[in-house]
Amino acid sequence: MNTKLFIAIAGIVLLSACTVTNEKSSLVDRNIQTASLQFEGVLDVIGDTNLNPGSTRNDELDLVPSRSWISGFFPGSLWYMFEHSGDEKWKDAAVHFTMNVEKEKFNGGTHDMGFKMFCSFGNAYRLTGVKNYSDILIQSASTLITRFNPTVGCIRSWDHNTDKWDYPVIIDNMMNLELLFWATRETGDSSYYNIALAHAETTLKNHFREDNSSFHVIAYDTLTGDVVKKNTHQGYAHES
């Protein structure tokens, strides 16, 4: 290839790459600015409360108690704002709304520990190194594994709808395992890791169809560990 032609082509490629990079950077900046305005607006509206923002409904802001599975998302988002900007105002707000969720570390009636505790306290500990956050996360992991049934090989998801399922496990439960893997790295106690691995392997074995799509709910027999039902609870149909 002609040297001048090669240099010209290389220059065009580099210019195009820089343009794409700049466009992406600009898009990220605009989204961060929008998020900042939204979070500031939410904080102005709710003030000092022991409830956390969940979502909006009919243009009204829903506040949820700590037991809600989405209670950790708002403080987690505030921690990300602090991480991005370094602005202490985000950290102060993140600490407040994170601590709103603390009592959930003892809530053994839910599998949603990863959603609630790792989004909030997980980011808090990652960004600050404060030992109290680590202690809360370890307790949360210890509470979560009380829902593990070794015969089934999974952590129980729901305690409701007992007329439908004796031991339901939903695919969403996989997102709570990160907390357990972290707990083993933090403490050196392999029991968290072993339970998380067993849950993942059992899920891999039973939750997926031949086309690699997944069922929502697998119901197990607690005496044998056998699969009893393959259902959906929040979708169009069992096979959808």
Side-chain angles (χ1 to χ4, degrees):
M1 179 183 293
N2 181 281
T3 302
K4 291 183 179 179
L5 178 60
F6 174 80
I7 293 173
I9 292 174
I12 292 171
V13 170
L14 289 172
L15 180 61
S16 298
C18 290
T19 301
V20 170
T21 300
N22 289 337
E23 287 178 353
K24 287 183 178 179
S25 177
S26 177
L27 177 63
V28 170
D29 289 341
R30 291 198 303 272
N31 279 291
I32 291 293
Q33 290 171 5
T34 299
S36 178
L37 291 172
Q38 290 176 324
F39 285 127
E40 286 174 346
V42 170
L43 292 172
D44 287 342
V45 168
I46 62 178
D48 186 7
T49 173
N50 62 358
L51 300 175
N52 284 2
S55 60
T56 55
R57 191 189 311 272
N58 299 324
D59 295 327
E60 294 292 329
L61 183 64
D62 275 349
L63 299 179
V64 299
S66 63
R67 67 176 179 274
S68 170
W69 71 278
I70 61 175
S71 63
F73 294 163
F74 184 71
S77 297
L78 295 177
W79 282 114
Y80 286 132
M81 292 300 295
F82 169 65
E83 180 178 19
H84 175 78
S85 68
D87 192 328
E88 290 291 320
K89 73 177 182 182
W90 296 120
K91 180 182 178 181
D92 293 342
V95 169
H96 172 77
F97 290 99
T98 293
M99 296 310 296
N100 281 351
V101 190
E102 179 184 4
K103 66 180 180 180
E104 294 304 305
K105 65 186 178 183
F106 294 121
N107 184 359
T110 176
H111 72 110
D112 289 320
M113 284 295 192
F115 292 108
K116 292 189 290 189
M117 308 306 284
F118 214 57
C119 287
S120 54
F121 287 98
N123 280 305
Y125 182 58
R126 180 175 65 84
L127 294 174
T128 69
V130 173
K131 185 178 183 300
N132 183 49
Y133 295 149
S134 174
D135 294 340
I136 291 169
L137 287 168
I138 293 168
Q139 177 57 58
S140 300
S142 297
T143 299
L144 177 58
I145 63 174
T146 64
R147 297 182 64 80
F148 179 73
N149 183 312
T151 300
V152 172
C154 275
I155 296 167
R156 182 189 182 100
S157 293
W158 296 327
D159 293 339
H160 59 72
N161 289 98
T162 54
D163 59 319
K164 293 183 180 180
W165 309 292
D166 182 28
Y167 198 94
V169 178
I170 62 175
I171 189 64
D172 317 45
N173 210 344
M174 287 292 295
M175 295 183 69
N176 294 297
L177 301 185
E178 184 180 8
L179 172 63
L180 301 183
F181 288 125
W182 171 89
T184 287
R185 290 198 304 270
E186 187 73 6
T187 66
D189 184 345
S190 62
S191 60
Y192 304 106
Y193 173 92
N194 292 335
I195 287 174
L197 182 63
H199 182 100
E201 289 180 336
T202 303
T203 298
L204 183 63
K205 176 182 177 182
N206 297 322
H207 251 90
F208 294 92
R209 304 181 183 93
E210 289 186 4
D211 65 359
N212 294 319
S213 62
S214 72
F215 289 96
H216 181 209
V217 187
I218 300 294
Y220 291 93
D221 184 317
T222 57
L223 298 179
T224 64
D226 293 337
V227 172
V228 178
K229 294 179 181 178
K230 296 185 176 185
N231 293 160
T232 190
H233 186 64
Q234 296 164 318
Y236 176 70
H238 294 326
E239 294 291 339
S240 67

